[in-house]
């Protein structure tokens, strides 16, 4: 089944011949790490048992983990999900797949409503084809006080009618909308999103603790890149961070690139929320997997230097150049997380948020054969998506 070493792609058919068995690995399962385990692949699914004629690849000394799931991603490989062509979007998807992200939600940035509805139409077609898992609208319904890398003149209050317009334009493929829920219309918009099965995410917000609690009670379930683009935690004014960390209904996004968060902040989030309520994201922009230089993020110009993206005007951090394999490696080698907790944050939790836990997020029989092969230093040595090698095993 394996293609020649180094072969890559995203459009091959899943095999219909003999099963593939990855043998001898440290397989990370929901119940723990199985030493000397195996994963059996049949077609595009994981199988419970191997047949006698199965193709066997010895991957001893490696980890096999579920494919990573990114619910907040603006692009990569020099291509933008916000403004690029279909080919550009596919290029960005392929870049992240080669770094282990087998399921990805495409995120937009603030734009005028006509542009965003047009963008939703293009991205929804890719979602219908299975190239992406859905659409995340980050802006324009965010606070000018916490706008980050969003164009202030295009921001607007979260009018439920306009929120509904974006949902409708996405043709059932809207997965998440980030809102500053303290703005006029914010709570009603949260209720609207919950009613339509779309994640209401609290982010780019200047909300108080009490306002954040109100939004959670209304149906918000995600914190968009916790700590970033929101008031800092204060001992008299705890703000949104305390409310988001303490409530079991909230999953907190974290950008684990060493730039957006101090390691102590990450540890704080894991200590209070627990591994089951953390989702690592990239918040990646075009430069992810591509390199330093000048880029556009929506209408704003971004300078990427030494892998850090900042607005040319003002210097605000403008997304990241992160890929999820780097987030994984940092989590276990620098942050001190267990491999199991890292997998939970990178695969299981985001799969659950997307309502896809029955098909992705863990290496269990019947689920899609989405997996990442890592060496003992947690470097990617193979990526399988839907039973097809995106990065063929590199075992030398």
């Amino acid at each position: 089944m394996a293609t020649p070493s180094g072969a890559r792609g995203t459009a091959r058919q899943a095999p219909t011949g003999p099963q593939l068995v990855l043998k001898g690995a440290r397989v990370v399962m929901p119940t723990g790490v199985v030493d000397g385990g195996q994963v059996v692949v049949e077609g595009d699914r994981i199988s419970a048992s191997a047949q006698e004629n199965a193709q066997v690849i010895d991957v001893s000394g490696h980890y096999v983990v579920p494919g990573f799931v990114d619910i907040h991603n603006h692009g990569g490989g020099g291509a933008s999900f916000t403004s690029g062509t279909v080919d550009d979007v596919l290029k960005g998807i392929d870049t992240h797949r080669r770094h282990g992200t087998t399921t990805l939600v495409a995120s937009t940035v603030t734009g005028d409503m006509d542009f965003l509805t047009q963008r939703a139409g293009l991205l929804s077609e890719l979602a219908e084809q299975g190239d992406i898992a859905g659409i995340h609208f980050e802006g324009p319904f965010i606070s000018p006080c916490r706008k980050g890398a969003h164009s202030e003149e295009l921001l607007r209050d979260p009018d439920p009618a306009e929120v509904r317009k974006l949902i409708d334009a996405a043709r059932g493929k809207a997965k998440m909308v980030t809102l500053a829920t303290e703005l006029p219309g914010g709570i009603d918009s949260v209720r609207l999103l919950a009613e339509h099965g779309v994640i209401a995410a609290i982010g780019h917000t200047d909300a108080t603790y009490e306002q954040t609690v109100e939004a959670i009670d209304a149906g918000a379930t995600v914190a968009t890149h916790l700590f970033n683009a929101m008031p800092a935690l204060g001992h008299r004014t705890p703000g949104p961070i305390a409310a988001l960390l303490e409530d079991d209904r909230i999953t907190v996004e974290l950008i684990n690139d060493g730039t957006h968060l101090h390691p102590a902040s990450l540890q704080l989030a894991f200590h209070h929320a627990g591994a089951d309520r953390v989702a690592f994201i990239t918040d990646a922009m075009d430069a992810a997997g591509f390199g330093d230089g000048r880029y556009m993020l929506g209408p704003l110009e971004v300078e990427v230097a030494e892998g850090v993206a900042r607005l040319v005007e003002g210097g605000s951090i403008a997304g990241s150049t992160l890929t999820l394999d780097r987030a994984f490696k940092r989590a276990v080698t620098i942050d001190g997380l267990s491999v199991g907790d890292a997998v939970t944050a990178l695969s299981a939790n985001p799969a659950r948020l997307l309502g896809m836990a029955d098909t992705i997020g863990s290496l269990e029989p019947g689920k899609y054969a989405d997996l990442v092969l890592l060496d003992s230093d947690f470097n990617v040595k193979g990526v399988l998506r839907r039973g097809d090698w995106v990065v063929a095993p590199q075992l030398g």
Side-chain angles (χ1 to χ4, degrees):
M1 170 181 160
T3 55
S5 180
R8 295 177 177 181
T10 58
R12 304 182 192 93
Q13 294 288 347
T16 56
Q19 293 176 325
L20 170 71
V21 179
L22 300 178
K23 179 181 178 182
R26 303 194 71 191
V27 181
V28 183
M29 300 291 291
T31 54
V33 179
V34 179
D35 290 321
Q38 68 178 24
V39 177
V40 181
V41 176
E42 185 170 359
D44 63 356
R45 303 278 175 163
I46 296 171
S47 180
S49 59
Q51 301 167 353
E52 290 186 4
N53 65 340
Q55 178 188 358
V56 178
I57 301 178
D58 189 343
V59 292
S60 299
H62 292 72
Y63 287 87
V64 177
V65 302
F68 307 141
V69 182
D70 194 353
I71 61 172
H72 187 157
N73 188 316
H74 299 279
S80 171
F81 299 154
T82 293
S83 58
T85 65
V86 168
D87 286 343
D88 289 333
V89 176
L90 292 173
K91 180 181 179 182
I93 294 167
D94 182 65
T95 296
H96 286 282
R97 284 184 184 171
R98 287 187 278 111
H99 289 274
T101 298
T102 52
T103 301
L104 179 150
V105 174
S107 302
T108 63
V109 296
T110 294
D112 65 47
M113 290 299 295
D114 287 342
F115 176 79
L116 289 173
T117 55
Q118 292 171 4
R119 202 70 201 159
L122 181 149
L123 293 172
S124 66
E125 291 182 8
L126 293 174
E128 289 162 2
Q129 295 169 190
D131 295 301
I132 60 175
I135 307 166
H136 164 219
F137 297 100
E138 188 181 22
F141 311 116
I142 61 176
S143 172
C145 301
R146 305 288 174 177
K147 64 183 184 297
H150 291 256
S151 178
E152 184 167 353
E153 59 267 25
L154 295 174
L155 300 181
R156 56 213 300 132
D157 291 338
D159 179 348
E162 292 195 324
V163 174
R164 177 63 186 269
K165 184 177 180 180
L166 289 184
I167 295 174
D168 290 345
R171 303 201 300 261
K173 300 303 180 181
K175 289 294 184 179
M176 183 162 65
V177 178
T178 294
L179 306 161
T181 53
E182 76 278 8
L183 296 175
I187 297 300
D188 287 340
S189 293
V190 169
R191 294 192 181 103
L192 173 73
L193 291 167
E195 289 169 2
H196 286 82
V198 179
I199 296 167
I202 300 172
H204 288 274
T205 176
D206 204 41
T208 64
Y209 173 90
E210 292 76 14
Q211 289 170 327
T212 306
V213 169
E214 183 183 9
I216 296 169
D217 288 340
T221 56
V222 166
T224 292
H225 42 55
L226 187 73
F227 300 110
N228 297 113
M230 61 182 62
L233 184 66
H235 64 292
R236 292 192 182 92
T237 54
I241 293 173
L244 294 164
L245 282 176
E246 73 182 10
D247 199 303
D248 289 344
R249 294 170 290 182
I250 292 291
T251 299
V252 299
E253 295 181 348
L254 298 178
I255 307 171
N256 192 26
D257 61 354
T259 297
H260 282 77
L261 295 176
H262 189 283
S265 297
L266 182 140
Q267 290 293 343
L268 179 71
F270 268 87
H271 176 75
H272 285 280
D276 289 338
R277 288 179 46 221
V278 173
F280 282 141
I281 61 165
T282 61
D283 194 17
M285 46 86 69
D286 312 20
F290 199 67
D292 291 352
R294 291 262 177 134
Y295 298 84
M296 297 301 295
L297 185 60
L300 302 178
E301 191 171 15
V302 175
E303 177 78 29
V304 179
E306 297 182 353
V308 178
R310 294 185 179 274
L311 291 181
V312 171
E313 290 191 15
S316 292
I317 293 178
S320 85
T321 62
L322 187 63
T323 50
L324 282 182
D325 59 331
R326 286 171 46 210
F328 187 105
K329 183 172 182 175
R330 182 179 178 85
V332 296
T333 62
I334 295 176
D335 301 316
L337 298 184
S338 70
V339 172
D341 282 352
V343 165
T344 299
L346 282 156
S347 303
N349 291 344
R352 169 182 51 79
L353 284 172
L354 296 176
M356 300 175 69
D358 58 336
T359 56
I360 62 171
S362 62
L363 299 174
E364 296 174 281
K367 294 190 178 184
Y368 281 122
D370 293 353
L371 59 85
V372 184
L373 184 66
L374 302 168
D375 65 16
S376 58
D377 294 321
F378 304 103
N379 300 305
V380 172
K381 293 299 179 179
V383 179
L384 195 73
R385 182 179 187 273
R386 305 298 195 263
D388 178 35
W389 290 111
V390 177
V391 178
Q394 301 166 8
L395 304 175

